[in-house]
Amino acid sequence: MGAVRRLVDADTGEPIPYAPYAFSGRHTQVDKARVEAITESKAFTPSQKFLVLWWIGVSPEGMEPLRATGADIAKRVGMSTDAVGKINRKLAKHRILIVRGRVGNYNFYRISPYIAFHGTGLEQREAVKTCNPPDIPGFDENIPARWEAQ
């Protein structure tokens, strides 16, 4: 394993236990309330909900787009290219996916940083400044997130 990290509580001087996450590789922070609202919403089909979860898993670090065409994505998820294109456009309309690049007439997307983000909390706060919150039917936008309430 790597170097041992020693964290100490500033008030008590007691050591704070530390262990790295037991994930098999990269991991992402996810807004569980928004994902729950998407998965329970009647506004999205099961295929659309599946692709939201897929986008959470494959969106690159920071605000980079996934550099894959609809045909590439379709092969990976077992759908038709047309279905992937329609779903991506609907998710983008709801700002669940955001456009982060373009080649010709094809948009490159990534999951909204309001839903999932790979990076530090400070980087995520900067990232959400670059886009509007997702429009998720059934999600209560009036409940402030912990960091917004402080």
Side-chain angles (χ1 to χ4, degrees):
M1 291 192 105
V4 176
R5 239 171 110 175
R6 303 276 183 217
L7 300 176
V8 177
D9 184 300
D11 295 329
T12 66
E14 295 288 317
I16 299 171
Y18 169 82
Y21 286 100
F23 298 126
S24 61
R26 300 178 320 137
H27 60 279
T28 298
Q29 300 299 320
V30 175
D31 185 328
K32 291 174 68 171
R34 282 189 168 100
V35 173
E36 180 181 8
I38 291 167
T39 59
E40 292 181 358
S41 175
K42 303 286 188 233
F44 301 106
T45 67
S47 294
Q48 292 164 346
K49 295 172 187 183
F50 167 77
L51 268 189
V52 168
L53 297 177
W54 184 83
W55 276 105
I56 289 170
V58 301
S59 285
E61 296 179 17
M63 288 299 291
E64 291 298 310
L66 178 67
R67 298 206 179 275
T69 66
D72 297 332
I73 295 168
K75 286 179 194 170
R76 292 173 69 176
V77 299
M79 293 181 180
S80 72
T81 302
D82 286 345
V84 167
K86 287 177 186 175
I87 292 170
N88 285 348
R89 286 189 296 277
K90 178 170 182 176
L91 296 177
K93 177 182 164 199
H94 283 272
R95 296 185 303 275
I96 292 168
L97 292 183
I98 57 173
V99 176
R100 295 298 293 174
R102 186 175 182 89
V103 171
N105 65 350
Y106 186 77
N107 291 323
F108 289 122
Y109 301 97
R110 66 156 294 106
I111 196 77
S112 167
Y114 282 92
I115 295 173
F117 193 77
H118 181 116
T120 67
L122 186 58
E123 291 168 337
Q124 190 262 352
R125 288 185 189 191
E126 289 300 314
V128 298
K129 292 177 183 177
T130 67
C131 56
N132 290 321
D135 172 27
I136 303 168
F139 181 72
D140 186 359
E141 294 281 353
N142 296 321
I143 300 172
R146 193 179 90 210
W147 67 272
E148 292 173 327
Q150 295 177 358

